[in-house]
Amino acid sequence: MLKSPAKLLQLLVTLLACAFLFVPTVQSVLAGVTANYFRGLSSGLTLKWIGEVWTLYSASIFLSIWIALACLVVTLIIGVPAAYALARNPGRLSRVLEEFISLPLAVPGLALALALLQLYGGYTEFRTSWAFILVGHVLYTLPFMLRAVLAVLAAIDLKTLEEGAASLGAGPARRFVDVVVPNALPGILAGALTVVTLSIGEFNLTWMLQTPFTKTLPVGLADSYASMRLEIASAYTLVFFVMIVPLLVAMQWATARAQRILQ
Amino acid sequence: MTLTLRSIAKTFAGGTRALLPTDLQIEQGEIVSLLGPSGCGKTTLLRIIAGLETPDPGATVRFDGEDVTALPVEKRQVGMVFQSYALFPNMSVRKNIGYGLKMQNLPKAEIAARVEEVIALCRLEPYADRPVTALSGGQRQRVALARAVAPRPRLLLLDEPLSALDAALRGQLRDELALLLRSFGITAIFVTHDQDEAMAIADRVAVMSHGRVVQIGTPEALYRNPATAFVARFVGAAMPLGGRIEDDRLHLPGGALPLASATVGHQAFVRAEDVRLDPDGALAARVETVTFLGTHYRVALSGATEQPLFALHSGLSAPAPGDSVRLSIAPGAILTLPTEDRIA
């Protein structure tokens, strides 16, 4: 493996690139469990800061989980039937609609948030509730659900499968439940994990939409870096990692699984 | 069930006329094949009967006299076997077969009993609990058939049911399918582009071309008395002889042949099995190639006709390529038919 200098150079570059990405992460995590960051690791390790984070920000953590789950429910209810409708009616109009639904991905979250504020800002009750943030998250995550489901539906011969079910006496609703949903399941799973991961990590939109009472996990993170001591902010990062990394891994796995069906 | 079709036509968006107005009557228990090359409208006709395609206005589809033209497929009680089988990949063999019964809201015990019955009939016992994705092509084909007949449909429709199988299996399953369909006693229509399949399975064959039924009849009738040159070519691969018809005789480059009946302007056809190598024959020809096929030789001949001619020769030996031979064709074996230009 290390026979030629070229190979050695390749390895070196790869390791350097990894270090470039990893060292800040490790440093941040370490800072979260260091007794005093300014005195360094010699001050000893502690879980105190994590306890502090919990006391200060547990509401944000639960709100984020709640919004992510609500977002999942809404994107499932809208996204799966929408993907089905687009898959069953391929054509120019469907292509245009698909692009239209994907538009929030291209528009900066800031602009999207401003538009939402202009439109709904007057409805105080709504504007100050968590549902306002949910709307932003649904706008942003819906294209991911739609595309994941659409990709799987486009890969199976949905039309003939449905015709088969219809010839056996199944009406449209039964066909959707018995044939469409079960066969779209890998796409739905991949989409669901993507939606939850994105919703929990979403910052751009949420930072504009939040009120002090509707602070989500990433917004709380920004807040802690801005106003708390570095150790608390770093411990917060650690908590964030612990929540988001398993989701990321699951998302990778589900997407790979859905990809296999497409081949 | 008796199926009556009146002026069934289909024009697709964009103006393609897939099917010209077609009338057809199929009797209780009859097995009818729609035979034709791809694009002749046979699948469109089948899908209209199923209710998967809407015919042009003015058409009527009647099941035992009842007008079902406006009914969607799920209300027509037809069983359908698709070319790709369309088995539900998310269900086991047993669940697939039971799906239609479940849609009829039958008691669980009755569903189970009837599924078992069909599984036994189609000899699917060893595979009953497997996922359908774990089956071979031939097994899937049987599951598709079992699933279609389990709800006891009024009419069974099969769209190229054997074409997804490899050639060796196709022959075996063709005979098996013929037996199974007879044992169900069900009225059935199946679409195929393979004349052997149509002949082996169907009581009557409707030969289709360019969106219309050209001729309908028993396999024997179609073979012996084709109505048009197209039917003669498609059923039994009749070869055009060319030449010209004059004075009850067919004049060919290799000689003249007597005809049983002659109509000026018609075209003469013959099948390879009716071309005999005969030392006293009226036609002179040269042997091009000889292919040994076990029960007989297939001999390609030139010089007798404008286009290459084939003869099926049985016997212990065959002439060699390059030999000069003489041929005879019995007057009754020569089919004289209107030219294709006149039908189209």
Side-chain angles (χ1 to χ4, degrees):
Chain A
M1 190 185 146
L2 299 177
K3 273 177 210 144
S4 64
K7 282 263 164 89
L8 203 66
L9 195 65
Q10 276 178 19
L11 185 70
L12 197 69
V13 170
T14 311
L15 284 177
L16 274 175
C18 287
F20 184 73
L21 295 170
F22 270 122
V23 170
T25 315
V26 172
Q27 199 182 9
S28 177
V29 167
L30 273 178
V33 290
T34 307
N36 187 324
Y37 180 72
F38 297 99
R39 281 172 44 212
L41 279 176
S42 59
S43 64
L45 297 175
T46 175
L47 289 176
K48 186 175 86 181
W49 307 123
I50 291 176
E52 288 278 322
V53 168
W54 186 257
T55 331
L56 287 166
Y57 294 104
S58 62
S60 287
I61 295 173
F62 287 120
L63 180 67
S64 264
I65 294 173
W66 169 251
I67 287 181
L69 292 179
C71 185
L72 173 61
V73 170
V74 175
T75 50
L76 280 176
I77 291 173
I78 303 175
V80 177
Y84 168 65
L86 291 179
R88 275 313 302 269
N89 306 293
R92 184 169 305 193
L93 188 65
S94 293
R95 299 279 314 157
V96 170
L97 265 173
E98 198 190 327
E99 293 308 319
F100 201 68
I101 293 171
S102 304
L103 215 53
L105 297 183
V107 178
L110 208 68
L112 213 59
L114 277 173
L116 283 172
L117 281 168
Q118 274 181 352
L119 204 56
Y120 302 116
Y123 305 91
T124 319
E125 197 86 335
F126 176 50
R127 195 252 170 278
T128 53
S129 77
W130 59 270
F132 193 50
I133 293 175
L134 176 64
V135 169
H137 281 203
V138 167
L139 263 179
Y140 174 58
T141 56
L142 188 60
F144 292 94
M145 176 63 83
L146 187 91
R147 295 209 151 177
V149 179
L150 194 56
V152 170
L153 288 183
I156 56 180
D157 188 357
L158 190 65
K159 181 166 171 273
T160 313
L161 279 182
E162 268 208 77
E163 285 181 351
S167 74
L168 294 163
R174 284 311 294 257
R175 300 203 288 268
F176 185 74
V177 173
D178 291 345
V179 176
V180 179
V181 171
N183 288 298
L185 220 46
I188 296 176
L189 186 64
L193 283 161
T194 311
V195 165
V196 171
T197 311
L198 287 177
S199 170
I200 285 188
E202 210 297 318
F203 177 74
N204 284 354
L205 261 169
T206 324
W207 184 69
M208 285 292 286
L209 299 180
Q210 56 104 15
T211 69
F213 301 102
T214 56
K215 200 181 293 172
T216 62
L217 200 57
V219 175
L221 186 61
D223 183 82
S224 70
Y225 271 108
S227 56
M228 298 290 153
R229 55 184 294 172
L230 191 62
E231 290 86 343
I232 295 186
S234 299
Y236 198 132
T237 309
L238 181 60
V239 171
F240 193 80
F241 273 155
V242 168
M243 287 181 65
I244 211 84
V245 168
L247 275 171
L248 267 175
V249 172
M251 186 177 95
Q252 297 279 352
W253 166 80
T255 309
R257 189 164 162 271
Q259 290 287 334
R260 276 205 299 279
I261 293 189
L262 304 185
Q263 279 148 22
Chain B
M1 192 204 75
T2 310
L3 172 73
T4 315
L5 303 177
R6 287 280 168 272
S7 5
I8 305 288
K10 179 73 186 178
T11 312
F12 280 115
T16 315
R17 302 205 69 187
L19 196 63
L20 300 166
T22 299
D23 293 344
L24 198 62
Q25 167 107 8
I26 293 170
E27 303 301 333
Q28 159 64 34
E30 208 178 10
I31 298 171
V32 171
S33 167
L34 304 178
L35 173 69
S38 56
C40 72
K42 57 194 193 299
T43 295
T44 304
L45 181 55
L46 190 83
R47 289 174 62 84
I48 288 171
I49 298 168
L52 291 168
E53 212 77 72
T54 318
D56 292 347
T60 50
V61 180
R62 285 177 194 281
F63 288 4
D64 278 332
E66 176 201 346
D67 188 344
V68 298
T69 321
L71 284 187
V73 55
E74 60 263 32
K75 303 236 167 77
R76 285 199 189 183
Q77 292 176 274
V78 292
M80 182 107 186
V81 176
F82 294 84
Q83 189 170 3
S84 61
Y85 310 140
L87 298 177
F88 308 131
N90 54 313
M91 299 181 200
S92 69
V93 168
R94 203 183 291 276
K95 286 260 162 59
N96 264 280
I97 297 175
Y99 190 76
L101 296 165
K102 199 173 122 195
M103 290 305 111
Q104 296 178 352
N105 292 317
L106 296 176
K108 275 214 166 72
E110 191 181 342
I111 293 180
R114 277 174 60 180
V115 167
E116 283 318 308
E117 191 186 321
V118 179
I119 283 176
L121 203 59
C122 298
R123 300 199 322 280
L124 284 164
E125 292 98 334
Y127 322 109
D129 293 305
R130 288 196 198 166
V132 290
T133 43
L135 301 182
S136 71
Q139 289 158 359
R140 285 180 198 210
Q141 199 267 336
R142 288 215 297 276
V143 175
L145 183 65
R147 184 180 73 172
V149 298
R152 296 186 189 150
R154 305 170 77 176
L155 178 67
L156 182 63
L157 303 168
L158 305 101
D159 186 8
E160 302 259 9
L162 301 172
S163 67
L165 305 168
D166 55 63
L169 197 58
R170 204 180 307 153
Q172 181 201 333
L173 284 185
R174 184 180 71 199
D175 300 335
E176 204 177 281
L177 182 63
L179 275 174
L180 269 176
L181 288 181
R182 291 277 172 325
S183 74
F184 297 143
I186 195 172
T187 311
I189 303 175
F190 85 96
V191 157
T192 179
H193 63 268
D194 179 338
Q195 59 120 349
D196 291 335
E197 223 171 275
M199 303 275 235
I201 300 175
D203 298 315
R204 279 198 301 159
V205 177
V207 182
M208 294 185 67
S209 169
H210 293 109
R212 72 173 87 214
V213 175
V214 188
Q215 190 178 4
I216 179 162
T218 62
E220 290 93 336
L222 290 179
Y223 193 85
R224 302 221 167 96
N225 299 304
T228 70
F230 174 78
V231 178
R233 281 166 185 270
F234 205 77
V235 179
M239 299 169 284
L241 283 168
R244 85 203 128 75
I245 295 169
E246 213 177 274
D247 311 327
D248 288 351
R249 290 171 78 79
L250 177 65
H251 297 271
L252 294 169
L257 291 170
L259 292 173
S261 66
T263 313
V264 176
H266 278 201
Q267 235 183 323
F269 290 85
V270 72
R271 294 202 172 85
E273 61 265 37
D274 294 321
V275 179
R276 293 188 195 293
L277 300 178
D278 175 359
D280 306 320
L283 288 181
R286 211 177 89 92
V287 175
E288 290 294 326
T289 60
V290 177
T291 316
F292 180 56
L293 297 171
T295 54
H296 54 262
Y297 298 88
R298 187 164 191 266
V299 184
L301 301 152
S302 66
T305 51
E306 285 147 14
Q307 285 163 3
L309 188 69
F310 292 94
L312 296 185
H313 171 70
S314 46
L316 294 176
S317 64
D323 286 0
S324 289
V325 291
R326 296 200 75 81
L327 311 172
S328 70
I329 302 172
I334 297 173
L335 306 161
T336 57
L337 298 163
T339 55
E340 278 161 282
D341 297 346
R342 301 229 334 237
I343 326 157

